[in-house]
């Protein structure tokens, strides 16, 4: 049974930090590119960061470059998103996505975790 479960969201003040985690099970984690997306109210879902394999160069959305860092631990089947210097406009539901490297149409989504940046 495939599971993709995000955690670590919450309320944080502007300028603060949060670390999101995404634990995966039920598939061969190392064969999947892992990504974080986010969706703010009234807006489309946007790509935050993608990391295909350990050691690869991550890809980041322009709005988070220099502030967010994606990493993965294949031994723990987990991907992380370290978010620093958070801004109110980072407020959104953050989703984890797993996409099969060899057939990108196969992908799985988590249920999302809320991140709210507010004073």
């Amino acid at each position: 049974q495939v599971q993709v479960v995000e955690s670590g969201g919450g309320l944080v003040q502007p300028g603060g930090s949060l670390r999101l985690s995404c634990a995966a099970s039920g598939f061969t984690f190392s064969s999947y590119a892992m990504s974080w997306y986010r969706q703010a109210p009234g807006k489309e879902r946007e790509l935050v960061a993608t990391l295909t394999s350990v050691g690869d160069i991550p890809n980041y959305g322009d709005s988070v470059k220099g502030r967010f860092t994606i990493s993965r631990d294949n031994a723990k089947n987990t991907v992380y998103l370290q978010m620093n210097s958070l801004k109110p406009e980072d407020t959104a539901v953050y989703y984890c996505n797993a996409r099969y490297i060899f057939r990108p149409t196969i992908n799985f989504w988590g249920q999302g975790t809320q991140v709210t940046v507010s004073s």
Side-chain angles (χ1 to χ4, degrees):
Q1 180 181 0
V2 171
Q3 286 192 315
V4 178
V5 181
E6 303 97 335
S7 61
L11 174 64
V12 62
Q13 292 187 343
S17 298
L18 276 177
R19 188 194 195 203
L20 305 183
S21 299
C22 171
S25 61
F27 57 92
T28 306
F29 185 76
S30 59
S31 296
Y32 283 71
M34 299 302 297
S35 301
W36 288 96
Y37 288 77
R38 68 185 182 186
Q39 187 166 19
K43 295 188 176 181
E44 293 187 354
R45 190 171 295 189
E46 65 170 342
L47 176 67
V48 175
T50 296
L51 183 59
T52 300
S53 299
V54 175
D56 279 0
I57 298 174
N59 180 51
Y60 295 99
D62 288 341
S63 61
V64 306
K65 285 180 181 177
R67 300 187 298 122
F68 290 12
T69 302
I70 187 172
S71 61
R72 63 189 291 165
D73 185 338
N74 286 353
K76 296 182 178 180
N77 286 3
T78 302
V79 62
Y80 306 96
L81 185 69
Q82 178 67 44
M83 305 185 295
N84 298 328
S85 302
L86 283 161
K87 306 175 182 180
E89 51 264 43
D90 294 318
T91 295
V93 178
Y94 284 70
Y95 297 92
C96 181
N97 174 267
R99 186 180 74 251
Y100 189 39
I101 294 172
F102 304 106
R103 187 173 291 181
T105 54
I106 298 175
N107 69 103
F108 310 115
W109 290 92
Q111 82 290 347
T113 185
Q114 176 70 46
V115 172
T116 302
V117 184
S118 175
S119 55

